[in-house]
Amino acid sequence: MTSYASRRAKLMAQMQAMGGGVAIIPTAPEQVRNADSNFPFRFDSNFYYLTGFTEPESMLVLKIGASGSGQAVLFCREKNVELEIWDGFRYGPADACASFGFDNAHPIGEADKHMPDLIADAKHLFYSFSNANIKRPLELKLQTWCDQLRANWRSGLWVPEQAMDVDAMLAEMRLFKDAEESQLMLRAAQISSRAHARAMRATRPGMQEYEIEAELLYEFRKSGAQAPAYTPIVAAGANACILHYINNNATIQDGDIILIDAGCEVDGYAADITRSYPANGRFSGPQKELYELVLASQLAALHHAKVGQAYMQGHDAAVRVLAQGMLDLKLLDSNKVGALEDVIEKKAFRKFYMHGTGHWLGLDVHDAGQYRQAPAEAQQERAWRPLEAGMVITIEPGLYVRPSEGVPEQFWDIGIRIEDDILISAEGPQILSADAPKTVAEIEYLMQQSR
Ligand code: GLY
Ligand code: MN
Ligand code: MN
């Protein structure tokens, strides 16, 4: 059985345990860029997770009753000799069915013909609650298909009465990476780490941020990654304090710190890595002080990247180190904000550290999955879930110092983030992005070598 087939079987087993039903999982819609040009197609992560099928205009249907075995049906584009000359190969239902191991396949254009039969007698319908681009058009279709069944109610057909969120079920599965997925994520992280090192070597004051972006993209594609996993951030100087800066069009000045947040996607799986380094290859005194502080906070969080530790412990540890550092470096005035515990409790650290310390990572860069345990009793505060083997998280503390009265001027306009990708395992954290230079010594050595 392929891993895709075993994931389908696992999902259907859960559906069966709930009394059975039909899951309908379309891939992503194609997106117009402008006029008659589309963005490069990126499949829906859930659809891909269950099929490995990368063509647009496809839909997976899984049907299983309260007992017995289920069936997996693919809807996809038909073969079309004329269009394949223009746009390239398509499997067509018969070939896709055989090559990808479905029980049946139909042309996507015949969905309206087959779907009422497929959903008849289903106890539940399972479909996306979280992706409006998928949910909205699908619900319109479901209305039509269910109405067709209702027209035949008197013949004794059962029309589904309950909808369940298939995204939630798949999120829980996707949270735990199997060996194949971990391997792909390691490859994505290794390529991305090389890209970061390449960017550091290539950087010279006077260059444009986009020239460094080009080095990243070159390394991604040259190494076989299909695409960046998200738009790269290449932010020099004050731009590093803009958290979602993607213009990447400013001139790099001598004395700038450059913050790069960039990762590639390999066979659907993302890397998400941030490094911050001096444009001229040497950290200044104040830059080094802030950098060492962020690095210390990252190592503190990393210490909690272990099986059994609650998800939020890493963040809390990073915040504690950063907050103490803010007091020590006089970024925060203890006469105004109080001591460490006050800074933490009143969240005064958010002036310089305003985001979380990480997230799940996988097919999506901010990957699917709940962060807290399921509700037990209505009023009870739900605990952060413990880390388990097979989860992949990022750890990405930072400091962003905007010019502001009372803040020592030598730190103004410095933005630093250090982000690694970590596979949680029984043997301890496996840092997938370990090849990207991280200590002051590693970064300065690499940059001096290339000058
Ligand atoms: N690159 C997005 C993030 O770091 O969360
Ligand atoms: Mn991230
Ligand atoms: Mn990132």
Side-chain angles (χ1 to χ4, degrees), residues 313-345:
Q313 275 175 279
H315 175 71
D316 292 343
V319 160
R320 181 161 283 272
V321 171
L322 288 172
Q324 183 61 57
M326 290 174 200
L327 291 168
D328 296 344
L329 296 175
K330 310 264 184 283
L331 288 169
L332 292 175
D333 180 351
S334 59
N335 293 322
K336 291 191 179 132
V337 297
L340 178 62
E341 297 306 328
D342 301 306
V343 172
I344 292 172
E345 192 181 330

Side-chain angles (χ1 to χ4, degrees), residues 9 73 81 112 124 130 133 139 158 185 232 251 293 312 339 356 365-366 391 436:
V73 180
V81 175
D112 288 341
H124 301 97
S130 64
N133 287 334
E139 281 186 330
W158 179 272
M185 294 194 71
T251 306
L293 175 55
M312 202 41 92
V365 64
H366 295 163
M391 292 174 162

